[in-house]
Amino acid sequence: MAPYIHQPLSVAYSGGMDSHVLLHLLWRLREQHPFMQIGAVHVHHGLSPNADQWQSHCERVCQALGIALTSRRVKVLMKGRQSLEAQAREARYQAIDEAVGTDTAVLLGQHQRDQLESFLLQLKRGAGPRGLSAMADSQRSGDRLYLRPLLQQPPSSLRQYAQEFALQWVEDESNLHTGFERNFLRHEIVPLLEARWPHIGSTVARSARLCAEQQTLLDECTSGHLARLRQKDGSLCLKGLVGFSLSWQRQIVRLWLLDAGLPVPTEKQLEQIIRQAMQAREDAAPSVKVANWQVRRFQQRLYLTGSIVNTMPEELIWRGEKVFVLPDGRRLEFTPGYKGGESNEILLNIAQEDSVAVCFARLNDRFTPAGSRHSKPLKQWLKLWRVPPWQRSQLPLIYLNHRLVAVLGLEGPELADTEGNKPGWLRIRLAGSGKTLPS
């Protein structure tokens, strides 16, 4: 804990023995280092009739220790094929993440037997080194740092500590239900393993650390290959990918997805992505779903996109707003114009009586880009510019007096040099976009 005592710390406190021991240890550490900022967060799942009593218990303990407690209530709804355990865990982590400051490290009370159970669950699922690494002593999820200071401790040590300091804790009755996978291992399998091999907890923990070490080395090597194949827009170059063996292709695509924040893809998903990307005919647009995302192929590249639902209205009227918020959260910013402009801006001379509209998906309307003498339907230009098909209906189209004058949000030619600094000139910028194409 020494490296972390100078930053805010918060214990994920369920009221059970493990998290109570961790909370008490942190309280004792603060006695030695009064400058420490410590807190606790409790998540009320509402899955047990005793949940209110557990929350009251946590409040009393924290009040006695002088530790601020933040409580959050969550509703766990069954959906898809995900287990109740997984749903509750996901809701718990989300609630914790929302309850504590972004600079706060969250401490978890998992111990050596929890590590053994996690290893066995991953083994049952057919995981590779990444999954068999099980839980890390410290890890980041997004910007959040999670710490497991008790991970190398056997549960007997925690119980001995709790008894020595006369700690009081609650027991979750659901922990006895062997219908849950982890509980089945805890009550039916692990005791048999420990009876035969008393040190299996520590040996499996060592195996998990070795798997984590090997995975780290593999990721370092894979990162170099990925850096050479990843394009500026985040897509993956297929022409370069085919030069690697199938095993390396899997590693590269897996890390590409993980870097984007997706969960570890299944072996079946990886096979689908690689097979469809490599073997589909040239004019095909294959797509593979991974979590709530789609992996798509276009122009010898792999793209990662959200599940696209086109909810954009056909037309939005601009009425002089300085910031015009689009339905998907993007923003158009209108400010007085000036000479020239950045590559993600467009300058228009708009008179008071002019009408300005923002439209979407009008791909048959004719358009003349700046610097071109030719007018074509927009869909032909977008095809010529190799804009992926799923992006085309999401592009904001600017109409001045019912004429298409600009397409925003594209990687394309530089903005034409247009004289600004005159009454009526406005600069239109799509916040967070790439380049825009004026007519």
Side-chain angles (χ1 to χ4, degrees), residues 173-187:
E173 69 279 358
S174 70
N175 288 336
L176 299 176
H177 298 170
T178 55
F180 296 132
E181 288 188 337
R182 187 174 288 272
N183 288 347
F184 171 71
L185 287 173
R186 182 173 301 164
H187 298 295

PDB file of all heavy atoms in Angstrom, residues 173-187:
ATOM      1  N   GLU A 173     -26.453 -14.644   2.438  1.00  0.00           N
ATOM      2  CA  GLU A 173     -26.987 -16.006   2.323  1.00  0.00           C
ATOM      3  C   GLU A 173     -26.844 -16.570   0.915  1.00  0.00           C
ATOM      4  O   GLU A 173     -26.788 -17.790   0.718  1.00  0.00           O
ATOM      5  CB  GLU A 173     -28.462 -16.041   2.748  1.00  0.00           C
ATOM      6  CG  GLU A 173     -29.440 -15.338   1.804  1.00  0.00           C
ATOM      7  CD  GLU A 173     -29.490 -13.829   2.004  1.00  0.00           C
ATOM      8  OE1 GLU A 173     -28.795 -13.315   2.897  1.00  0.00           O
ATOM      9  OE2 GLU A 173     -30.243 -13.173   1.253  1.00  0.00           O
ATOM     10  N   SER A 174     -26.737 -15.692  -0.087  1.00  0.00           N
ATOM     11  CA  SER A 174     -26.597 -16.182  -1.468  1.00  0.00           C
ATOM     12  C   SER A 174     -25.252 -16.871  -1.683  1.00  0.00           C
ATOM     13  O   SER A 174     -25.088 -17.625  -2.642  1.00  0.00           O
ATOM     14  CB  SER A 174     -26.750 -15.026  -2.457  1.00  0.00           C
ATOM     15  OG  SER A 174     -25.651 -14.139  -2.397  1.00  0.00           O
ATOM     16  N   ASN A 175     -24.284 -16.612  -0.793  1.00  0.00           N
ATOM     17  CA  ASN A 175     -22.980 -17.273  -0.920  1.00  0.00           C
ATOM     18  C   ASN A 175     -23.067 -18.779  -0.702  1.00  0.00           C
ATOM     19  O   ASN A 175     -22.131 -19.512  -1.009  1.00  0.00           O
ATOM     20  CB  ASN A 175     -21.986 -16.672   0.081  1.00  0.00           C
ATOM     21  CG  ASN A 175     -21.552 -15.272  -0.312  1.00  0.00           C
ATOM     22  OD1 ASN A 175     -21.615 -14.900  -1.492  1.00  0.00           O
ATOM     23  ND2 ASN A 175     -21.129 -14.483   0.663  1.00  0.00           N
ATOM     24  N   LEU A 176     -24.194 -19.246  -0.164  1.00  0.00           N
ATOM     25  CA  LEU A 176     -24.368 -20.679   0.073  1.00  0.00           C
ATOM     26  C   LEU A 176     -25.040 -21.378  -1.098  1.00  0.00           C
ATOM     27  O   LEU A 176     -25.096 -22.609  -1.133  1.00  0.00           O
ATOM     28  CB  LEU A 176     -25.199 -20.894   1.343  1.00  0.00           C
ATOM     29  CG  LEU A 176     -24.597 -20.326   2.644  1.00  0.00           C
ATOM     30  CD1 LEU A 176     -25.575 -20.516   3.800  1.00  0.00           C
ATOM     31  CD2 LEU A 176     -23.261 -20.990   2.962  1.00  0.00           C
ATOM     32  N   HIS A 177     -25.555 -20.615  -2.054  1.00  0.00           N
ATOM     33  CA  HIS A 177     -26.292 -21.194  -3.174  1.00  0.00           C
ATOM     34  C   HIS A 177     -25.312 -21.734  -4.217  1.00  0.00           C
ATOM     35  O   HIS A 177     -24.665 -20.969  -4.939  1.00  0.00           O
ATOM     36  CB  HIS A 177     -27.209 -20.155  -3.811  1.00  0.00           C
ATOM     37  CG  HIS A 177     -28.258 -19.634  -2.880  1.00  0.00           C
ATOM     38  ND1 HIS A 177     -29.066 -18.545  -3.183  1.00  0.00           N
ATOM     39  CD2 HIS A 177     -28.644 -20.056  -1.640  1.00  0.00           C
ATOM     40  CE1 HIS A 177     -29.886 -18.321  -2.179  1.00  0.00           C
ATOM     41  NE2 HIS A 177     -29.657 -19.211  -1.240  1.00  0.00           N
ATOM     42  N   THR A 178     -25.202 -23.040  -4.317  1.00  0.00           N
ATOM     43  CA  THR A 178     -24.231 -23.640  -5.237  1.00  0.00           C
ATOM     44  C   THR A 178     -24.707 -23.632  -6.687  1.00  0.00           C
ATOM     45  O   THR A 178     -24.016 -24.154  -7.567  1.00  0.00           O
ATOM     46  CB  THR A 178     -23.910 -25.081  -4.810  1.00  0.00           C
ATOM     47  OG1 THR A 178     -25.118 -25.836  -4.710  1.00  0.00           O
ATOM     48  CG2 THR A 178     -23.190 -25.089  -3.475  1.00  0.00           C
ATOM     49  N   GLY A 179     -25.873 -23.039  -6.941  1.00  0.00           N
ATOM     50  CA  GLY A 179     -26.290 -22.853  -8.328  1.00  0.00           C
ATOM     51  C   GLY A 179     -25.423 -21.825  -9.033  1.00  0.00           C
ATOM     52  O   GLY A 179     -25.297 -21.841 -10.259  1.00  0.00           O
ATOM     53  N   PHE A 180     -24.806 -20.919  -8.256  1.00  0.00           N
ATOM     54  CA  PHE A 180     -23.854 -19.970  -8.825  1.00  0.00           C
ATOM     55  C   PHE A 180     -22.515 -20.668  -9.010  1.00  0.00           C
ATOM     56  O   PHE A 180     -22.053 -21.409  -8.143  1.00  0.00           O
ATOM     57  CB  PHE A 180     -23.684 -18.761  -7.903  1.00  0.00           C
ATOM     58  CG  PHE A 180     -24.936 -17.936  -7.735  1.00  0.00           C
ATOM     59  CD1 PHE A 180     -25.359 -17.556  -6.473  1.00  0.00           C
ATOM     60  CD2 PHE A 180     -25.677 -17.539  -8.830  1.00  0.00           C
ATOM     61  CE1 PHE A 180     -26.501 -16.794  -6.306  1.00  0.00           C
ATOM     62  CE2 PHE A 180     -26.821 -16.775  -8.680  1.00  0.00           C
ATOM     63  CZ  PHE A 180     -27.238 -16.404  -7.414  1.00  0.00           C
ATOM     64  N   GLU A 181     -21.872 -20.410 -10.148  1.00  0.00           N
ATOM     65  CA  GLU A 181     -20.637 -21.120 -10.486  1.00  0.00           C
ATOM     66  C   GLU A 181     -19.558 -20.956  -9.423  1.00  0.00           C
ATOM     67  O   GLU A 181     -18.917 -21.922  -9.016  1.00  0.00           O
ATOM     68  CB  GLU A 181     -20.111 -20.636 -11.844  1.00  0.00           C
ATOM     69  CG  GLU A 181     -20.936 -21.113 -13.029  1.00  0.00           C
ATOM     70  CD  GLU A 181     -20.268 -20.779 -14.346  1.00  0.00           C
ATOM     71  OE1 GLU A 181     -19.436 -19.836 -14.380  1.00  0.00           O
ATOM     72  OE2 GLU A 181     -20.557 -21.455 -15.343  1.00  0.00           O
ATOM     73  N   ARG A 182     -19.349 -19.712  -8.998  1.00  0.00           N
ATOM     74  CA  ARG A 182     -18.292 -19.471  -8.024  1.00  0.00           C
ATOM     75  C   ARG A 182     -18.595 -20.173  -6.698  1.00  0.00           C
ATOM     76  O   ARG A 182     -17.695 -20.730  -6.054  1.00  0.00           O
ATOM     77  CB  ARG A 182     -18.082 -17.976  -7.813  1.00  0.00           C
ATOM     78  CG  ARG A 182     -16.886 -17.639  -6.934  1.00  0.00           C
ATOM     79  CD  ARG A 182     -16.646 -16.142  -6.875  1.00  0.00           C
ATOM     80  NE  ARG A 182     -16.107 -15.619  -8.114  1.00  0.00           N
ATOM     81  CZ  ARG A 182     -14.811 -15.558  -8.409  1.00  0.00           C
ATOM     82  NH1 ARG A 182     -13.913 -16.008  -7.524  1.00  0.00           N
ATOM     83  NH2 ARG A 182     -14.388 -15.057  -9.545  1.00  0.00           N
ATOM     84  N   ASN A 183     -19.854 -20.160  -6.281  1.00  0.00           N
ATOM     85  CA  ASN A 183     -20.220 -20.841  -5.035  1.00  0.00           C
ATOM     86  C   ASN A 183     -20.066 -22.352  -5.150  1.00  0.00           C
ATOM     87  O   ASN A 183     -19.691 -23.029  -4.182  1.00  0.00           O
ATOM     88  CB  ASN A 183     -21.665 -20.501  -4.649  1.00  0.00           C
ATOM     89  CG  ASN A 183     -21.801 -19.072  -4.145  1.00  0.00           C
ATOM     90  OD1 ASN A 183     -20.802 -18.422  -3.853  1.00  0.00           O
ATOM     91  ND2 ASN A 183     -23.020 -18.595  -4.056  1.00  0.00           N
ATOM     92  N   PHE A 184     -20.351 -22.898  -6.327  1.00  0.00           N
ATOM     93  CA  PHE A 184     -20.157 -24.326  -6.546  1.00  0.00           C
ATOM     94  C   PHE A 184     -18.692 -24.700  -6.347  1.00  0.00           C
ATOM     95  O   PHE A 184     -18.356 -25.682  -5.678  1.00  0.00           O
ATOM     96  CB  PHE A 184     -20.625 -24.714  -7.948  1.00  0.00           C
ATOM     97  CG  PHE A 184     -20.261 -26.117  -8.348  1.00  0.00           C
ATOM     98  CD1 PHE A 184     -20.890 -27.208  -7.773  1.00  0.00           C
ATOM     99  CD2 PHE A 184     -19.267 -26.346  -9.293  1.00  0.00           C
ATOM    100  CE1 PHE A 184     -20.535 -28.507  -8.137  1.00  0.00           C
ATOM    101  CE2 PHE A 184     -18.910 -27.631  -9.663  1.00  0.00           C
ATOM    102  CZ  PHE A 184     -19.552 -28.712  -9.075  1.00  0.00           C
ATOM    103  N   LEU A 185     -17.813 -23.885  -6.941  1.00  0.00           N
ATOM    104  CA  LEU A 185     -16.379 -24.133  -6.745  1.00  0.00           C
ATOM    105  C   LEU A 185     -15.996 -23.984  -5.281  1.00  0.00           C
ATOM    106  O   LEU A 185     -15.267 -24.806  -4.724  1.00  0.00           O
ATOM    107  CB  LEU A 185     -15.559 -23.155  -7.592  1.00  0.00           C
ATOM    108  CG  LEU A 185     -15.540 -23.382  -9.106  1.00  0.00           C
ATOM    109  CD1 LEU A 185     -14.825 -22.232  -9.804  1.00  0.00           C
ATOM    110  CD2 LEU A 185     -14.864 -24.698  -9.449  1.00  0.00           C
ATOM    111  N   ARG A 186     -16.507 -22.944  -4.642  1.00  0.00           N
ATOM    112  CA  ARG A 186     -16.115 -22.625  -3.260  1.00  0.00           C
ATOM    113  C   ARG A 186     -16.508 -23.729  -2.290  1.00  0.00           C
ATOM    114  O   ARG A 186     -15.747 -24.068  -1.380  1.00  0.00           O
ATOM    115  CB  ARG A 186     -16.755 -21.288  -2.861  1.00  0.00           C
ATOM    116  CG  ARG A 186     -16.402 -20.804  -1.461  1.00  0.00           C
ATOM    117  CD  ARG A 186     -16.954 -19.406  -1.268  1.00  0.00           C
ATOM    118  NE  ARG A 186     -16.391 -18.497  -2.275  1.00  0.00           N
ATOM    119  CZ  ARG A 186     -16.911 -17.301  -2.556  1.00  0.00           C
ATOM    120  NH1 ARG A 186     -17.983 -16.882  -1.919  1.00  0.00           N
ATOM    121  NH2 ARG A 186     -16.340 -16.542  -3.465  1.00  0.00           N
ATOM    122  N   HIS A 187     -17.695 -24.309  -2.476  1.00  0.00           N
ATOM    123  CA  HIS A 187     -18.210 -25.273  -1.492  1.00  0.00           C
ATOM    124  C   HIS A 187     -18.008 -26.734  -1.896  1.00  0.00           C
ATOM    125  O   HIS A 187     -17.921 -27.598  -1.024  1.00  0.00           O
ATOM    126  CB  HIS A 187     -19.701 -25.009  -1.248  1.00  0.00           C
ATOM    127  CG  HIS A 187     -19.985 -23.657  -0.675  1.00  0.00           C
ATOM    128  ND1 HIS A 187     -19.559 -23.270   0.569  1.00  0.00           N
ATOM    129  CD2 HIS A 187     -20.646 -22.587  -1.188  1.00  0.00           C
ATOM    130  CE1 HIS A 187     -19.950 -22.032   0.816  1.00  0.00           C
ATOM    131  NE2 HIS A 187     -20.608 -21.592  -0.237  1.00  0.00           N
TER     132      HIS A 187
END
